[in-house]
Structure formats: structure tokens, C-alpha cells
Amino acid sequence: MPEIDTGRWAIIVHGGAKDIPPQLEARHRQGCLMAVEAGVRILTEGGSAIQAAQAAVRVLEDDPVFNAGHGSVKNADGDIECDAAIMDGSDLSVGAVAAVRRIRNPIDAAVALLSDKTVLLVAEGAERFARARGVALCEPKDLQAVPQACDAGCDTVGCVVIDGYGDVAAATSTGGLDGARPGRVGDSPLPGCGLSAENGVGGVSLSGEGEAIIRTGMAHCLMRALEFNTPGDAAKAAFERLARVGAEAGAIVIDAEGRIDWMHNSRDFAVGYARHDMAARAFTRREQDPGETA
Ligand code: ASP
């Protein structure tokens, strides 16, 4: 058993790559801070990266200002379809659900699937699995976006954590794209696309145009760059690849040393982060952030 050092950890969350109206900026920062604090509570008590990522994403899912869980946008049929995933960097296990309509916190179903051989369950199959595992269900209307809370185009939420054991976790949750084709699934529940985590390397969680992120294998690209580069340079490499197909995205990254960085080419990207040696902070644009050493 590795020695437990709960004094060394790092966590970063995001609330989506998008345009945030000025009157909603404070709510986005506040939502990110609350999510970070939920994760920090777990990490300082010696909890795992998976537990901290789940707790942080649950807070973001429950906040209607973000397009995930409660606050999800409707597809072209006027229905909710949520996707979520979590990846455990210690054994590369992944739990993911897609096109679910009745799961109160889709990240809970993803976590329940982590210990199963199955990686991804969709629609009714995922909901049946969730019910069997005691994950809370709800009515689709309970998840619908509140118009005034979510007039920013809305986006995905995500989290990356490294805990005191050196274990890394990455998570995503989304209501998908507003008005999307029914049954459409984006990058968020797909490992190597919307998220990735690997002990000894780090983790990443993405938001943005799912099709472009899938086509460029953006999370995978970033992780391979992270083996030999700082989080900032690894993100830059992934965005250079994304430029081949031209799309907006945002990325949060932590490496195996606990170094944190984030990048976006969307106008705004709400992010909050904290580390054992750094108080929680939140921003809506990268240029506002003096960097983790400040
Ligand atoms: N990546 C998500 C999707 O394509 C949505 C987003 O992050 O904007 O479903």
C-alpha cells in the first residue's frame, strides 16, 4: 500500500466552453467554487480522486446554471438526453452513460458502472442499470433547463482530480447540444475524446463541439503530449490538432505532479481549482487567471 499523504492533492472543475452573459458570470464562478469545495472536503479527509470528482460533478449537475443533470437543454424533439462519464487513472476503468433521461445525477450511474466490465450504457439500458444499483431516478422534466439560468448556450461540466495516493480521476457530464438530433451522443461519455485519466501522466476533461473533439481524439492527444510536456503545452498541442477541424473547446488539465492548467478558444470557460498549497479560485476566462503560482 502506498503511503497516504492527504496533504498533497489538486482539483479543477469546469462549467463549459461557451459565451457567458455578464450577468451570469458571478453565478458561474460561484458554482465552480462550490464544486471545488465539495471535492476538497473529500480530499482533505483522505477520500479518493473518484469520490472527489463525483462529489464535484454532482454539485455542478445540481446547479441549473450549467447544462448537465438539472439544467440540461432539450434536443430537437424537446426531450432531455444526458451523457456522463468517469475514468479512474489507477486501473484505466471507465463508467459512462449516454442518452439517459431519468437519472437524477448521471455521474452517479457512471460511477456505479466503474467496477463493471461494461464501459458505456445508453438510454433505457443505462436507466435499468442505475435503478438496479440504487441510483436515484427522476422525471425528465425535473432535469430541464431553467431558461433564464441557462441562456448562455449552456455546456458540459467536468472535473479532474489527483488525490493524496497519486490516483487521478477525470469526469464529465452534459445535457449535450441544444436542439441536437435525438440520439446524438457527443464526446463527453467517450474516453480519449471528452476525458482521460492515467496515473503517472495526469488527467483531462473537455467541453466544446463534441463532433470535432471526437474526430481529433482530443483527450487522447492531450494525454500523450502530457507525458513529455507541461499541462499548458500539452493543452496547446491538443488545440493545435483541434484547429485541423476548426471548433470551439475548453480543456482542464492536471499532471502527475499536481500541476494545473486550463485553456479554451471559446470566448468564456468557467473554471475553479484548488490544491493542497493553494486556496480555491474561480474565473470565467483564462486571461483573468495569473496562474497557479500566483
Ligand atoms: N461536448 C458536449 C457535447 O458535444 C457539449 C459541450 O461541451 O458543449 O455533447
Side-chain angles (χ1 to χ4, degrees):
M1 275 290 283
E3 200 177 317
I4 302 170
D5 181 0
T6 59
R8 295 178 62 83
W9 46 262
I11 178 169
I12 183 165
V13 306
H14 77 76
K18 58 187 175 185
D19 288 3
I20 302 174
Q23 69 276 17
L24 290 179
E25 283 184 8
R27 280 196 62 184
H28 280 75
R29 281 194 299 271
Q30 183 61 22
C32 286
L33 281 176
M34 286 176 62
V36 166
E37 279 158 15
V40 168
R41 272 195 294 280
I42 288 172
L43 293 166
T44 52
E45 287 166 6
S48 71
I50 289 289
Q51 290 169 327
Q54 179 183 15
V57 170
R58 282 183 118 251
V59 169
L60 296 166
E61 286 180 338
D62 287 343
D63 188 335
V65 84
F66 302 114
N67 170 30
H70 179 50
S72 290
V73 296
K74 294 178 188 169
N75 65 17
D77 281 353
D79 292 325
I80 297 284
E81 289 184 322
C82 297
D83 310 327
I86 190 157
M87 182 161 184
D88 185 340
S90 69
D91 62 0
L92 307 186
S93 57
V94 178
V97 294
V100 295
R101 302 179 56 207
R102 292 183 176 77
I103 301 178
R104 185 73 189 81
N105 287 100
I107 194 65
D108 289 356
V111 170
L113 199 50
L114 263 182
S115 55
D116 201 281
K117 189 178 175 206
T118 302
V119 164
L120 172 62
L121 285 173
V122 304
E124 287 84 2
E127 290 165 4
R128 270 168 48 192
F129 168 83
R131 186 181 296 114
R133 291 300 179 93
V135 173
L137 301 183
C138 65
E139 286 304 312
K141 65 173 170 36
D142 299 335
L143 300 177
Q144 275 170 19
V146 183
Q148 64 277 23
C150 205
D151 58 2
C154 294
D155 256 49
T156 301
V157 304
C159 179
V160 180
V161 182
I162 184 165
D163 65 22
Y165 307 83
D167 288 337
V168 182
T172 53
S173 184
T174 187
L177 297 181
D178 203 1
R181 181 174 288 161
R184 176 259 181 199
V185 175
D187 61 299
S188 306
L190 304 180
C193 298
L195 77 164
S196 192
E198 187 170 348
N199 282 14
V201 179
V204 56
S205 178
L206 295 166
S207 170
E209 192 189 305
E211 285 71 12
I213 294 172
I214 293 170
R215 286 165 61 202
T216 55
M218 198 172 167
H220 177 75
C221 171
L222 196 153
M223 290 291 285
R224 297 293 63 89
L226 193 58
E227 290 183 73
F228 308 105
N229 294 281
T230 63
D233 285 344
K236 198 160 164 253
F239 274 90
E240 278 166 11
R241 181 162 166 78
L242 184 72
R244 292 188 59 169
V245 301
E248 288 196 346
I252 54 174
V253 191
I254 295 180
D255 74 3
E257 309 298 318
R259 290 182 295 185
I260 293 172
D261 215 330
W262 54 296
M263 190 173 281
H264 58 108
N265 63 0
S266 53
R267 197 191 71 181
D268 302 309
F269 189 46
V271 160
Y273 63 88
R275 202 172 53 192
H276 61 93
D277 56 356
M278 192 169 48
R281 52 189 67 185
F283 308 92
T284 53
R285 286 187 194 178
R286 180 64 181 83
E287 70 209 30
Q288 301 162 347
D289 182 1
E292 59 165 87
T293 50

